[in-house]
């Protein structure tokens, strides 16, 4: 809660953009789901956790997949950085021929599946007033549109016939 409040306070210096809690990590699926819900209830506009991977497909703990031959010899490198040379030589061949699917490097392990199914239901009645207060305090009542500066007195215009979103009078491109 303190980190979200701090981020919201800092965001006021930048026109109150939405807060995005990105790639936080917890050790287990349920605490990841709990923090995902808490961040949303505290007013984060987007939340992503570290990291989703289809573990049934990779048969590993991350976004990497080794051949059955490599897996039969064990992981090429363990969590302590020790190289399994038999496995490494098999893995090295997959790198050379371009058939490899990544490797367990730089924290690639620790992936999760099924986290969204564990997100607890929010107490919408209790969370709504706090969320509204945060949104009003930090948005200034103005939408934040990426790539445009929107004056406070901007008024929506009619949508174009090609299905583009309506432009705002007085908006300028910042590209």
């Amino acid at each position: 809660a303190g980190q979200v409040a701090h981020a919201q306070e800092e965001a006021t210096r930048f026109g109150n953009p939405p807060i995005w809690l990105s790639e936080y990590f917890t050790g287990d699926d349920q605490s990841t789901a709990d923090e995902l819900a808490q961040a949303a209830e505290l007013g984060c506009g987007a939340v992503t956790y570290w990291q989703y991977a289809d573990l049934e497909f990779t048969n590993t703990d991350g976004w990497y997949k080794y051949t059955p031959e490599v897996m039969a010899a064990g992981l090429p490198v363990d969590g302590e950085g020790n190289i399994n040379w038999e496995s490494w030589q098999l893995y090295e061949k997959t790198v050379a021929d371009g058939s490899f699917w990544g490797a367990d490097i730089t924290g690639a392990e620790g992936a999760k599946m099924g986290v969204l199914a564990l997100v607890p239901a929010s107490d919408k009645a209790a969370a709504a007033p706090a969320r509204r207060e945060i949104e009003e305090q930090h948005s200034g009542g103005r939408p934040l549109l990426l790539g445009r500066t929107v004056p406070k007195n901007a008024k929506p215009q009619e949508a174009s016939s090609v299905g583009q979103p309506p432009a705002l009078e007085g908006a300028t491109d910042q590209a």
Side-chain angles (χ1 to χ4, degrees):
Q3 291 175 330
V4 173
H6 176 73
Q8 289 167 331
E9 182 179 319
E10 288 297 311
T12 62
R13 298 174 37 204
F14 303 102
N16 299 308
I19 303 299
W20 175 20
L21 174 61
S22 176
E23 297 188 0
Y24 69 92
F25 178 79
T26 66
D28 65 283
D29 296 356
Q30 187 60 60
S31 62
T32 299
D34 293 344
E35 289 192 25
L36 186 75
Q38 181 184 30
E41 289 175 0
L42 288 171
C44 289
V47 185
T48 55
Y49 63 90
W50 182 262
Q51 68 182 333
Y52 169 83
D54 185 340
L55 304 178
E56 293 170 0
F57 173 75
T58 66
N59 292 310
T60 65
D61 291 329
W63 292 1
Y64 49 93
K65 181 177 178 79
Y66 298 118
T67 63
E69 295 79 20
V70 170
M71 291 300 287
L75 294 176
V77 181
D78 69 17
E80 302 293 317
N82 300 308
I83 298 173
N84 172 339
W85 288 107
E86 178 187 359
S87 179
W88 183 265
Q89 289 172 343
L90 295 167
Y91 173 69
E92 189 175 38
K93 290 177 185 175
T94 67
V95 173
D97 70 17
S99 65
F100 74 104
W101 285 55
D104 182 7
I105 59 170
T106 64
E109 73 281 342
K112 299 173 177 72
M113 284 181 60
V115 169
L116 296 180
L118 301 174
V119 174
S122 70
D123 181 355
K124 292 181 181 176
R131 186 179 306 122
R132 263 194 310 276
E133 180 181 326
I134 289 169
E135 288 171 355
E136 289 171 5
Q137 177 183 2
H138 294 285
S139 72
R142 297 183 315 271
L144 177 69
L145 301 175
L146 298 177
R148 294 186 175 181
T149 302
V150 182
K152 288 182 182 180
N153 62 350
K155 295 178 178 59
Q157 295 178 342
E158 292 297 317
S160 69
S161 61
V162 291
Q164 295 295 318
L168 297 173
E169 290 179 21
T172 58
D173 285 331
Q174 294 294 306

